[in-house]
Amino acid sequence: MTSTVQASTTEGSQTQPKLSLSAQKKLDPYVTVKNNHYVLGENAKRVVSEEYNVAKQVIAQTNVTVENSGSVISKDINLRGRHLIGWGC
């Protein structure tokens, strides 16, 4: 069973970093699913060098949410054109 995961905008007292819509669209093609975790490819640095570290943080927090909730990310999902859960929009 696959469930939808929505990352919380706050984790403890920290506010989750957010990416601009423009950066999200540029990064979507570089996000894959491996071992039930979202993975941001190294080539994404060339596309959004300034927001790359923020994207890595958002993905890490989203992966924690997926893991803690026991959810399963479908490997068949086409991420292109869709916004990664937890991007912060």
Side-chain angles (χ1 to χ4, degrees):
M1 183 170 129
T2 303
S3 61
T4 302
V5 178
Q6 294 192 4
S8 172
T9 56
T10 59
E11 186 162 318
S13 61
Q14 294 181 342
T15 301
Q16 180 173 346
K18 294 185 180 185
L19 289 171
S20 68
L21 184 58
S22 172
Q24 292 172 40
K25 288 180 179 181
K26 290 176 185 175
L27 289 170
D28 277 348
Y30 298 94
V31 178
T32 58
V33 177
K34 184 175 182 178
N35 297 323
N36 202 43
H37 284 87
Y38 291 108
V39 178
L40 181 61
E42 290 291 319
N43 290 337
K45 285 182 187 178
R46 296 182 194 140
V47 178
V48 291
S49 59
E50 293 180 16
E51 291 184 287
Y52 180 79
N53 287 331
V54 174
K56 293 284 281 188
Q57 290 175 352
V58 170
I59 288 173
Q61 290 176 350
T62 301
N63 286 335
V64 168
T65 301
V66 169
E67 192 172 314
N68 289 344
S69 68
S71 297
V72 176
I73 303 169
S74 173
K75 289 184 180 182
D76 298 327
I77 191 166
N78 177 6
L79 293 173
R80 187 168 292 209
R82 299 178 189 196
H83 296 293
L84 174 73
I85 297 164
W87 267 154
C89 284

